[in-house]
């Protein structure tokens, strides 16, 4: 029916515009997160601004890259427990301008003074050495148990 589509199409456009506007509004005014932490499976009506939620929050670990290298180190991790590293390189006097962890396909640049998130889940126990791109001359250690 052409009559309906003439009305409905503009309505849809308005609705979409409103949704986009309100989504932007959400990111700006940092109102307290009222949402219950739900183990989001595939939520069909996920907010477009947010990446897919994970089942359970990963453990967040802050790491610095200083003149001494990656700090702190060693760090104990648990096999199967997702972790989110937040790495901040705070010096230019290092060649560790990235983090390399081949076993988990990680090779991530670390710009100066910018926190960079790297997520992975250790899937085997033992010592896990990460480091700079030059054969891990500068390195750090995860102990996975
Ligand atoms: Cu190096």
């Amino acid at each position: 029916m052409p009559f309906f589509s003439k009305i409905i199409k503009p309505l849809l456009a308005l609705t979409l515009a409103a949704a986009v506007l309100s989504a932007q509004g959400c990111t700006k005014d940092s109102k307290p997160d009222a949402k219950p932490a739900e183990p989001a499976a595939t939520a069909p009506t996920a907010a477009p601004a947010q990446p897919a939620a994970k089942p359970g929050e990963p453990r967040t670990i802050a790491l610095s890259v200083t003149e001494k290298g990656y700090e702190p180190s060693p760090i104990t991790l648990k096999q199967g427990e997702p972790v989110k590293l937040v790495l901040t390189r705070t010096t230019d006097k290092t060649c560790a301008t990235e983090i390399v962890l081949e076993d988990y396909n990680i090779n991530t640049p670390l710009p100066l003074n910018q926190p960079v998130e790297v997520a992975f889940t250790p899937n085997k126990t033992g010592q896990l050495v990460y480091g700079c791109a030059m054969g891990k001359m500068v390195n750090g250690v995860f102990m996975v148990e």
Side-chain angles (χ1 to χ4, degrees):
M1 292 199 232
F3 176 69
F4 271 111
S5 71
K6 256 181 207 164
I7 291 181
I8 284 172
K9 275 183 189 161
L11 274 179
L12 277 176
L14 276 176
T15 310
L16 280 175
V20 168
L21 282 175
S22 66
Q24 284 174 344
C26 274
T27 56
K28 284 200 175 148
D29 40 23
S30 54
K31 50 185 164 186
D33 195 5
K35 278 175 269 175
E38 38 188 289
T42 46
T45 55
Q50 281 190 316
K54 299 149 204 108
E57 286 293 300
R59 176 181 161 202
T60 300
I61 298 170
L63 280 174
S64 300
V65 180
T66 70
E67 289 176 45
K68 294 178 198 159
Y70 301 87
E71 294 186 299
S73 174
I75 291 174
T76 301
L77 305 181
K78 282 204 185 97
Q79 182 183 19
E81 181 189 60
V83 293
K84 182 173 79 179
L85 309 175
V86 181
L87 296 116
T88 310
R89 177 166 66 89
T90 59
T91 180
D92 262 330
K93 293 182 183 164
T94 180
C95 76
T97 53
E98 65 283 300
I99 176 171
V100 175
L101 186 51
E102 299 93 343
D103 290 0
Y104 298 92
N105 289 317
I106 291 167
N107 187 338
T108 304
L110 304 174
L112 187 64
N113 293 325
Q114 278 181 46
V116 173
E117 293 186 1
V118 173
F120 74 101
T121 303
N123 57 21
K124 54 180 175 285
T125 59
Q127 182 171 294
L128 192 55
V129 180
Y130 61 91
C132 74
M134 285 165 39
K136 297 178 183 166
M137 214 169 53
V138 177
N139 59 57
V141 173
F142 295 125
M143 293 303 303
V144 186
E145 36 185 54

